[in-house]
Amino acid sequence: MRRWVYLGFSLFVLATQAGQLPLTVSEIGLMLRSGYSSNSLMQELSRRHFADTVDETKEKTLTKAGASTELIAALKSGIYSLSPEKTAAVQQQIAAEEQRRAEQAEAARKSEAAYEARVIRERSVKAAPTTPDANIGAISDFLKGDLFQMHNGSSARLDEMALANKKLIAFYFSAEWCGPCRKFTPKLVDYYKRVASEHPEFEIVFYSRDKSLYAMEKYMREENMPWPAIDFSKLKEKEILAKNAGNGIPSLVLVDSTGKVISSSQSGDQNFGPEKVLADLDAIFSGRLPGRVADAR
C-alpha cells in the first residue's frame, strides 16, 4: 500500500513538472497527424516520457501517422519509457480521466435533451387566440405614465404621450437569465437601429420576464436597449399584453395602436420565433402583406 502511495506521489510530481501526463501511442499518433515532427516528438518524450508499449499493431498505427523509423525505434527501445509500475499507474489515471470526460459529455447530453424536451412542451401548450382585447383600448392610453428608458446607464421616465403617434408597437418578451434571449437581443437592437429612423410610426416596448428590477435594468444596460420598457412594478397590471406571446421567450407580439394583433412569435400551438415577426415587419415596411398575419377577428 505504501509503495502505491509513493508511486502516486511520484506521478503527481512528474505531472506537475511536465505540465502534462506521459504520452501514449494514441496521443503520439494524434500529434503527428496534427503537424508535430518526429524530432519534436522525441524532444517532447524526453520531457514527458512514454507510458505505453509498441507492438506490431501500434507500430503500424505510428507508421501510418507519419512516425520516422528513428522515433519508432526509440519508443521500442524503452529509452523514454517509465517503469512498468509507473506505466500501469499512468494508464489507470488516463482511463479515469477518459471516464470522467465521458460522464461529463453524457451529463451535458442529458441536460441538452431535457432543455429541448422542456421547449417542446412549452411550444405544445396551446396559446390563447391572437385576438385584440377590447379592454385595452388605445395602447398609448393603456401604457400612459408606465414607460421608462435607459439613458447613459440610468433610467428615465418617458413622456406620457411617448406612444401617441405610434401605429405599430412590438412588445418584446425577454429576460436577462434567458440564454436564447441574450443571443437574439443584439439582433433586435441592430434591426431597431436600422428601421426606427425610417419608420417613426414603429416602436418596440420591452416587457421584462426578469425576477427583479435590478436584473431588468442590468439587462437593458448591457444590451444597450434603445427602446422603452414597461415599469417593472406595473408588469402584473399589464399581463393582458402577454396573452398572445406564448409560453417561451424570446417572443415578439406586433400590434397596432388599438391593440389589435398583427403578428406574433406564437400562433396557435406553434412557435415560429421572433424572427418571424421581424420578417412580417419588413413586409409591412416594404408595402407587402406579412407572410403570416395573425387572425385578428
Side-chain angles (χ1 to χ4, degrees):
M1 180 67 174
R2 292 180 62 188
R3 183 184 67 178
W4 283 103
V5 171
Y6 173 77
L7 178 58
F9 178 77
S10 299
L11 287 172
F12 173 78
V13 172
L14 177 64
T16 302
Q17 291 175 341
Q20 293 172 302
L21 287 171
L23 293 170
T24 63
V25 168
S26 176
E27 289 171 333
I28 291 171
L30 287 172
M31 293 171 76
L32 285 166
R33 285 191 289 272
S34 67
Y36 277 76
S37 67
S38 292
N39 287 336
S40 64
L41 271 169
M42 284 191 283
Q43 293 177 4
E44 190 75 7
L45 282 161
S46 66
R47 184 171 65 87
R48 292 174 60 180
H49 303 286
F50 184 54
D52 206 345
T53 57
V54 180
D55 57 20
E56 184 178 351
T57 300
K58 291 181 179 179
E59 183 175 349
K60 289 180 180 179
T61 299
L62 289 170
T63 301
K64 189 175 181 179
S68 66
T69 303
E70 183 183 5
L71 172 59
I72 294 174
L75 292 173
K76 294 173 72 173
S77 72
I79 61 174
Y80 299 120
S81 297
L82 297 171
S83 67
E85 289 181 344
K86 288 184 178 181
T87 296
V90 168
Q91 289 177 342
Q92 287 181 358
Q93 190 172 352
I94 291 172
E97 178 64 17
E98 289 177 348
Q99 177 64 25
R100 185 183 67 83
R101 290 177 181 174
E103 290 172 354
Q104 288 179 335
E106 178 63 14
R109 185 194 67 77
K110 289 181 178 179
S111 177
E112 183 177 356
Y115 172 75
E116 290 178 352
R118 180 170 64 82
V119 170
I120 291 171
R121 286 197 302 272
E122 290 175 349
R123 292 180 176 180
S124 66
V125 176
K126 188 171 181 62
T130 53
T131 58
D133 194 284
N135 295 325
I136 291 181
I139 292 294
S140 59
D141 291 337
F142 187 66
L143 295 177
K144 184 181 292 186
D146 296 332
L147 299 176
F148 75 97
Q149 200 162 3
M150 301 302 294
H151 289 289
N152 299 321
S154 300
S155 62
R157 190 162 296 280
L158 263 64
D159 183 273
E160 291 189 351
M161 303 302 290
L163 298 181
N165 298 318
K166 304 300 180 181
K167 298 179 180 178
L168 293 168
I169 301 104
F171 289 100
Y172 180 42
F173 299 85
S174 183
E176 187 269 345
W177 50 263
C178 167
C181 299
R182 298 304 292 258
K183 290 182 179 180
F184 175 73
T185 299
K187 299 177 183 178
L188 187 60
V189 170
D190 290 342
Y191 181 88
Y192 183 86
K193 290 179 178 178
R194 176 169 63 84
V195 305
S197 60
E198 298 178 3
H199 299 279
E201 75 280 10
F202 167 66
E203 186 59 274
I204 292 175
V205 175
F206 177 39
Y207 190 113
S208 175
R209 292 298 195 185
D210 287 296
K211 307 302 182 183
S212 67
L213 174 61
Y214 171 79
M216 175 185 179
E217 292 188 346
K218 177 174 176 285
Y219 183 28
M220 294 177 71
R221 280 194 298 270
E222 289 178 347
E223 299 295 344
N224 296 311
M225 293 187 189
W227 47 73
I230 300 174
D231 190 317
F232 187 79
S233 65
K234 300 294 181 69
L235 288 173
K236 287 191 179 297
E237 300 174 14
K238 312 300 179 184
E239 278 286 348
I240 197 168
L241 295 171
K243 63 178 293 185
N244 298 308
N247 296 308
I249 54 175
S251 178
L252 280 172
V253 177
L254 179 66
V255 302
D256 66 14
S257 61
T258 68
K260 176 181 175 182
V261 176
I262 298 172
S263 179
S264 175
S265 298
Q266 188 84 17
S267 179
D269 59 356
Q270 290 185 288
N271 188 305
F272 296 96
E275 292 85 355
K276 177 257 185 187
V277 177
L278 298 187
D280 286 349
L281 272 166
D282 283 336
I284 293 171
F285 293 149
S286 64
R288 296 178 288 112
L289 290 176
R292 291 178 61 92
V293 178
D295 182 5
R297 290 180 297 171

